[in-house]
Amino acid sequence: GSTDLASTLATGVGSLHVSEAQGGTFQPDLLFRGFGGSPLLGASEGLAVYLDGVRANEPFGDVLNWDALPPMSLDSINVMPGSNPLFGLNALGGAISLRTRDGFTTTGTRLSAMGGSFGRARLEGDLGAQRGAWAGYLAGSWLDEDGWRDFSPSTLRRGFAKASWRAGATRVEVSGLAASNDLIGNGAAPVGLLDDDRGAVFTHPDRTDHDLAGVTLRADRFWSPTLRLEAMTYYRGTRLGTLNGDAGEDEDDEEDDGEPVEDDEADLDGVLNRSRTRSHATGAVVQVVATRALAGRTNHLVTGVSGDLATSRFASSAELGSLTLDRGVIGAGLFEDGDAVASPTRTAPLAPIGADTLD
């Protein structure tokens, strides 16, 4: 099976494709009819992804971190093409709705283990059980590998849990998601370097640390066979840290404001770029869904209201350093003040919901 959500989607849906532009297996771009969903901050995001009704796009930059969810916990995938304002900002290409398994539909235990080249080892499993009106579901996965390129180890730790209760026309469920992943995405290397060693990287490290914790509470009630009330509230917290070693300009023969560069500065031919993003998002939605015949055709009406509150803090810095013989960067403790960024943001959209679909 696939090891990340994007690859799982591309495998199951023919119109979705994966591109590993960042050079990391677990940090791909998902492409759909020319629009993309990327984990790279600053990329042009064109897809909205919802997991059990909760928007998976991060509040800061609407990026999509595909590595967070164990793929085996997915129950259904619904791809909705076309721009629809119901799905929020940056959904010009469409939206993807994902539903997870529960103990009512998934019972028993599944466990799988795998080992492969380049030190890859994977262990994953899930468990579903039902007793009367109650049901529970657990899923988890662990993956560790050295990577087929130099200096490219990655480790993924992901868990998902859901408790469900049904009584007549009422259903309540609470679910939790947690992930702590260490990802390497070394970028493209020059052809000349690859001619000597296909596993070489141009510079390193290129590391992303992704931690996520979220909880969702949902309740549904059928007032009649054609009328349903839905309510959902959630909290989602993420922490994303990056450390990228890059080659700097060769300043051996350059001058600074007409003066020769000092010897210790001339040796600083690398730079360590760091970033840190912390986000907290919470929200709720209440809607009424009516499905009944209109003029002899099936009609689907949705109306309600949704509100969200998200705060994010983004910070970045650049530390001068030196390139080692293996193309790594060692920091010198000197920081470029002009490259430092600290950006707190807050978004609080409140929106009415209304849509009608007539077959």
Side-chain angles (χ1 to χ4, degrees):
S2 299
T3 56
D4 66 278
L5 179 56
S7 298
T8 301
L9 297 177
T11 301
V13 183
S15 54
L16 297 176
H17 306 277
V18 166
S19 172
E20 296 179 3
Q22 278 73 253
T25 302
F26 310 109
Q27 299 169 284
D29 295 345
L30 186 69
L31 306 176
F32 177 63
R33 298 183 177 178
F35 295 91
S38 173
L40 182 63
L41 187 62
S44 179
E45 306 290 349
L47 294 175
V49 177
Y50 288 84
L51 176 65
D52 290 334
V54 178
R55 187 175 174 97
N57 300 67
E58 299 295 340
F60 191 75
D62 270 334
V63 298
L64 285 162
N65 293 304
W66 303 107
D67 57 281
L69 183 71
M72 67 186 314
S73 64
L74 287 183
D75 184 53
S76 66
I77 302 170
N78 188 15
V79 180
M80 294 159 282
S83 177
N84 189 329
L86 285 178
F87 300 125
L89 300 175
N90 290 323
L92 291 176
I96 301 174
S97 176
L98 309 172
R99 295 301 301 267
T100 55
R101 301 178 187 271
D102 59 42
F104 290 111
T105 58
T106 303
T107 58
T109 303
R110 295 182 299 173
L111 183 66
S112 66
M114 182 271 286
S117 301
F118 310 108
R120 170 171 284 196
R122 184 176 71 179
L123 178 66
E124 61 182 12
D126 67 351
L127 167 66
Q130 175 189 358
R131 184 172 183 179
W134 294 89
Y137 177 78
L138 293 171
S141 69
W142 170 85
L143 184 146
D144 186 81
E145 67 170 21
D146 297 331
W148 66 272
R149 304 173 72 189
D150 297 337
F151 311 105
S152 297
S154 292
T155 304
L156 285 78
R157 314 168 193 89
R158 300 168 289 186
F160 177 79
K162 180 186 289 186
S164 308
W165 174 79
R166 286 180 179 176
T170 303
R171 173 171 176 162
V172 179
E173 63 181 30
V174 58
S175 61
L177 172 65
S180 180
N181 301 330
D182 304 322
L183 312 173
I184 298 295
N186 291 312
V191 175
L193 181 60
L194 297 180
D195 288 340
D196 295 332
D197 182 3
R198 294 296 297 179
V201 297
F202 185 57
T203 57
H204 69 90
D206 285 292
R207 175 171 173 167
T208 299
D209 295 332
H210 179 212
D211 298 316
L212 179 147
V215 61
T216 304
L217 175 64
R218 295 178 58 90
D220 300 341
R221 178 174 177 81
F222 279 90
W223 295 107
S224 71
T226 61
L227 188 64
R228 183 172 77 252
L229 174 67
E230 299 179 347
M232 181 270 292
T233 184
Y234 73 92
Y235 167 79
R236 183 182 175 95
T238 58
R239 183 181 67 85
L240 198 67
T242 67
L243 175 62
N244 298 319
D246 298 314
E249 296 181 359
D250 187 358
E251 298 179 338
D252 289 345
D253 299 322
E254 293 184 0
E255 295 184 350
D256 185 9
D257 296 330
E259 298 294 332
V261 177
E262 297 293 336
D263 289 341
D264 56 346
E265 294 183 11
D267 294 334
L268 301 179
D269 52 358
V271 61
L272 284 173
N273 294 303
R274 294 180 174 88
S275 75
R276 184 178 68 255
T277 308
R278 296 179 181 268
S279 298
H280 301 275
T282 185
V285 59
V286 178
Q287 63 185 26
V288 176
V289 181
T291 303
R292 61 186 62 183
L294 180 63
R297 297 179 179 272
T298 301
N299 190 72
H300 188 76
L301 174 65
V302 179
T303 181
V305 63
S306 70
D308 300 275
L309 174 63
T311 58
S312 300
R313 288 187 173 273
F314 172 81
S316 67
S317 64
E319 179 185 3
L320 298 178
S322 302
L323 280 173
T324 63
L325 295 178
D326 59 11
R327 304 294 296 177
V329 179
I330 298 177
L334 301 175
F335 291 84
E336 292 280 5
D337 293 337
D339 293 334
V341 174
S343 175
T345 63
R346 180 177 182 269
T347 59
L350 177 66
I353 299 170
D356 188 78
T357 304
L358 179 66
D359 287 346

